[in-house]
Amino acid sequence: VLTTVNSISVTKAVTNTSLDNDGTGGTNDDTVTVGEIVTYTLTVTMPEGLAPDFRIRDNLPIGMAYVPGSLSIDATGYVGSVSIPAVSPTSGVAFGNGQDIEFDFTSISTTDDNITTNNTFTITYQAVVLDVGDRSPDGEANDGLGTT
C-alpha cells in the first residue's frame, strides 16, 4: 500500500511473522495462525522542512490487534529529527479486533539540503492474530493508510 499526501509518502509492508507457515522463515507467509505475531513496517518519506502535528493512521485488518509497546523508529540515514510518536487506537481506549492505529508525532523536521535520499525513516510495530475473521496478514482490502 502506498499513500502520498503533499509530497509525503508512506508505504506499508509485512516484514516478518513469528511462525514459519510456508518454509520461508516467516518472511513470506500468506496465511497466519491464531496467536501469531505479524511485524509491519511503514516506510515514511518526508519533504524537506517542518511537519508540525503530523499523524499517520494505519488500518489493521479484521482479526488483528496492535501489540502495545512494540513500536520502534529507525531513522538511520534520515537527516532531521523524528521522535517516537504517541500511539493510540483511532476510537475507544483499547486496541482490539481490527482497531485502527494512530501514530501522533508532535513535530517532524527534515533538513533542507536538497538531497531527497536522506528524507526517509521507518516505523516498525507488531500485531497479534486473533481468533476471528480473515487470517491474511496484509488484509488486502483493509490495510489502507492515511496521513494528516
Side-chain angles (χ1 to χ4, degrees):
V1 172
L2 170 66
T3 302
T4 303
V5 177
N6 296 333
S7 300
I8 297 169
S9 171
V10 181
T11 58
K12 178 180 180 179
V14 174
T15 52
N16 201 8
T17 61
S18 61
L19 299 175
D20 184 4
N21 296 316
D22 65 0
T24 64
T27 59
N28 242 352
D29 290 348
D30 290 329
T31 304
V32 291
T33 305
V34 172
E36 188 167 357
I37 302 295
V38 176
T39 302
Y40 290 98
T41 299
L42 305 179
T43 301
V44 182
T45 302
M46 302 293 294
E48 295 179 350
L50 185 62
D53 300 320
F54 179 70
R55 271 182 247 128
I56 297 173
R57 178 177 284 183
D58 187 15
N59 299 333
L60 276 182
I62 298 298
M64 305 289 290
Y66 172 73
V67 176
S70 66
L71 175 92
S72 67
I73 300 283
D74 182 358
T76 303
Y78 179 75
V79 180
S81 66
V82 58
S83 59
I84 301 290
V87 182
S88 60
T90 56
S91 63
V93 295
F95 292 104
N97 181 19
Q99 178 65 53
D100 295 343
I101 307 165
E102 191 161 273
F103 302 100
D104 193 356
F105 297 85
T106 49
S107 181
I108 295 176
S109 67
T110 307
T111 303
D112 293 326
D113 61 5
N114 294 319
I115 301 171
T116 58
T117 58
N118 62 10
N119 297 355
T120 300
F121 63 91
T122 60
I123 302 168
T124 302
Y125 71 91
Q126 296 178 324
V128 63
V129 180
L130 304 174
D131 191 11
V132 296
D134 181 12
R135 301 243 190 342
S136 171
D138 62 10
E140 305 226 349
N142 301 314
D143 67 353
L145 295 163
T147 60
T148 60

